Amino acid sequence: FKKTQIRITKPNYRTIRSMKKIFLVAATLLMAVCAMAQEEATPSKWKKGVDLSLQATQNYATDNWHNGGVSNLSVLAGVQGWWNYAGEKGFSWDNKVELKYGVTTTFTEDLAGRLFHLTDDKTYYETKMGYALGKGWNVAWSGDVSTTLFDNYKIDTDELVSAFAAPVYFNTAVGFDYKYNNPDKKIDLSVMIAPYAFKLIYVNDIRNDYAISKHVGIYDEALGITQLRTYALGSSFKVNYRQEFNENITLSSVLAFYTDYKGIEVDWEIVGDFKLYKFLTARVSLNPRYDSTVGEGWNEKIQFKEFVSLGLAYRFEK
């Protein structure tokens, strides 16, 4: 994305025609998959599951504690569901939903008068449809959408970082998907390589100066603009990896790369889950990110988020 002002005035018909071709392929694949599912689907052709988790970290210190300290509490709730179809004639359809919401407090209001702050606000859906070519390779179409639901501000300020549908990220791509599954080592791997990818970013709230300036462009309140969006065509690849080393240790990783040939975005989320006793678990989450389209310096382009916690987790799987 350009760092200069971006405002939607006239539709880009070349982009619209490209989008029509992408969605035509997607619609064809969807109809084929639905037909296969209707004719052939049995319980054995579907894999379904839900992961539930509730993580928390807590610290308490009195005001006169000899070496200082601040009491705090952080809670993170998450739901991850999937339902995947694999037909006998090469069609596959994978779906994933992820809901993750977290809050933290130091039990004291900040300078802006807020007692609680969001640490996570993620609503995400991903779908991928493909047809097998052989040796693990599939021709595939993928799409995903993610957004935020709640108002979130920088600490000690009234600067809005995110709000309902502000921003919304939508990605769709056509390419090739390599799948590898090893039941013995409990490894699931997917590598989606897409030479044609479309990205849309939409901001529903002009109060969100941060999202607009960082992701969409500069808005002009005098012109009465209330909603902003920007889009670009490019290429992408995405790697999904999951391995259960044993019944107590599981590692998940999602690496996503996108470029519109003017800038690049790389997002890598690594999550380790450790089962301590029955439903009691520990989780370590690392999320480095690089975005060349925002800011001027490396301190803005390179971002990092880390979370370590204890909590409860349970899985339903069929």
Side-chain angles (χ1 to χ4, degrees):
F1 304 114
K2 295 182 179 180
K3 300 174 184 176
T4 56
Q5 179 172 334
I6 301 175
R7 260 198 318 271
I8 302 302
T9 53
K10 296 182 179 179
N12 188 321
Y13 293 104
R14 181 178 298 177
T15 301
I16 292 174
R17 286 193 295 270
S18 300
M19 290 174 59
K20 286 182 177 179
K21 293 179 182 178
I22 292 174
F23 287 113
L24 179 60
V25 173
T28 303
L29 283 172
L30 178 59
M31 289 187 290
V33 169
C34 290
M36 291 295 299
Q38 188 176 16
E39 294 176 4
E40 300 184 38
T42 65
S44 63
K45 291 183 173 64
W46 287 91
K47 289 185 178 180
K48 308 172 186 177
V50 177
D51 279 332
L52 306 175
S53 64
L54 181 64
Q55 309 289 324
T57 59
Q58 182 269 337
N59 173 63
Y60 173 77
T62 59
D63 294 337
N64 62 345
W65 183 245
H66 69 100
N67 61 350
V70 178
S71 300
N72 62 81
L73 173 66
S74 297
V75 178
L76 177 65
V79 178
Q80 188 175 104
W82 65 93
W83 57 102
N84 303 328
Y85 170 79
E88 295 177 353
K89 297 183 179 180
F91 286 100
S92 61
W93 184 17
D94 300 336
N95 296 273
K96 175 183 175 183
V97 169
E98 184 177 2
L99 310 175
K100 188 163 59 174
Y101 310 105
V103 65
T104 185
T105 181
T106 58
F107 306 102
T108 303
E109 292 184 349
D110 66 7
L111 297 179
R114 296 185 182 88
L115 185 62
F116 296 95
H117 295 274
L118 289 175
T119 56
D120 272 288
D121 182 4
K122 182 179 181 180
T123 302
Y124 176 82
Y125 170 69
E126 177 182 6
T127 186
K128 181 167 58 178
M129 294 173 284
Y131 181 79
L133 300 176
K135 296 184 178 181
W137 285 98
N138 302 264
V139 58
W141 168 83
S142 69
D144 65 75
V145 60
S146 62
T147 188
T148 52
L149 300 181
F150 307 103
D151 288 357
N152 191 22
Y153 299 84
K154 286 189 175 182
I155 294 178
D156 296 329
T157 74
D158 288 322
E159 185 175 355
L160 191 66
V161 177
S162 62
F164 178 76
V168 177
Y169 300 95
F170 172 76
N171 300 279
T172 185
V174 175
F176 301 93
D177 183 32
Y178 175 75
K179 290 184 176 181
Y180 172 78
N181 176 263
N182 188 323
D184 296 329
K185 296 185 178 181
K186 296 184 177 180
I187 296 176
D188 283 299
L189 173 68
S190 169
V191 181
M192 175 77 177
I193 303 171
Y196 302 103
F198 173 78
K199 175 184 282 287
L200 170 69
I201 301 176
Y202 170 80
V203 178
N204 186 51
D205 194 334
I206 63 169
R207 295 178 304 152
N208 194 349
D209 299 351
Y210 182 84
I212 291 172
S213 62
K214 297 297 182 182
H215 303 298
V216 179
I218 307 300
Y219 77 95
D220 190 342
E221 190 172 5
L223 296 178
I225 299 173
T226 58
Q227 299 175 344
L228 291 165
R229 65 185 181 274
T230 188
Y231 48 78
L233 292 172
S235 301
S236 68
F237 74 81
K238 191 171 188 177
V239 181
N240 284 272
Y241 172 82
R242 178 184 173 87
Q243 182 173 3
E244 295 183 25
F245 294 95
N246 53 52
E247 62 180 10
N248 297 321
I249 302 176
T250 302
L251 177 67
S252 302
S253 172
V254 179
L255 173 64
F257 171 90
Y258 172 82
T259 179
D260 62 354
Y261 308 110
K262 299 175 183 177
I264 64 172
E265 298 177 29
V266 183
D267 192 288
W268 189 12
E269 184 176 19
I270 308 165
V271 178
D273 287 305
F274 306 89
K275 185 177 179 180
L276 304 179
Y277 178 75
K278 291 187 177 179
F279 304 137
L280 182 63
T281 64
R283 170 168 291 184
V284 178
S285 174
L286 306 175
N287 192 177
R289 190 175 190 276
Y290 174 77
D291 188 348
S292 69
T293 66
V294 301
E296 298 294 335
W298 286 95
N299 60 326
E300 294 185 4
K301 298 179 184 296
I302 297 179
Q303 305 162 26
F304 182 77
K305 186 175 183 179
E306 174 265 345
F307 188 81
V308 179
S309 63
L310 291 173
L312 303 174
Y314 188 72
R315 165 174 286 200
F316 302 90
E317 193 168 11
K318 184 178 180 181

